[in-house]
Amino acid sequence: MDTCISCKTKITNLRGTVSFKCPKCGKHEIVRCAQCRKIVSKYTCPECGFIGPN
Ligand SMILES: [Zn+2]
Ligand SMILES: [Zn+2]
């Protein structure tokens, strides 16, 4: 089950969730919930350590 990478909330069926490949390594699927997008919560890619708001 997918969880938000920032807050670990299960994002199944949540509106406004986005998922995208890590902009740096392109390997890891980054999943973020609407709340974390709203507050611009930081995330870290487990693959390459990339830290980003988006
Ligand atoms: Zn979140
Ligand atoms: Zn990465």
Side-chain angles (χ1 to χ4, degrees):
M1 188 177 289
D2 286 334
T3 55
C4 172
I5 196 167
S6 296
C7 68
K8 314 302 182 191
T9 297
K10 292 187 177 65
I11 52 83
T12 305
N13 296 329
L14 281 183
R15 288 171 182 266
T17 302
V18 291
S19 64
F20 53 93
K21 299 290 187 196
C22 168
K24 185 175 179 185
C25 69
K27 291 177 183 174
H28 195 84
E29 187 86 3
I30 308 288
V31 181
R32 299 180 79 212
C33 71
Q35 178 64 15
C36 286
R37 287 174 60 207
K38 189 177 173 184
I39 66 174
V40 199
S41 182
K42 288 185 179 177
Y43 64 85
T44 304
C45 173
E47 295 279 343
C48 67
F50 174 82
I51 300 172
N54 256 317

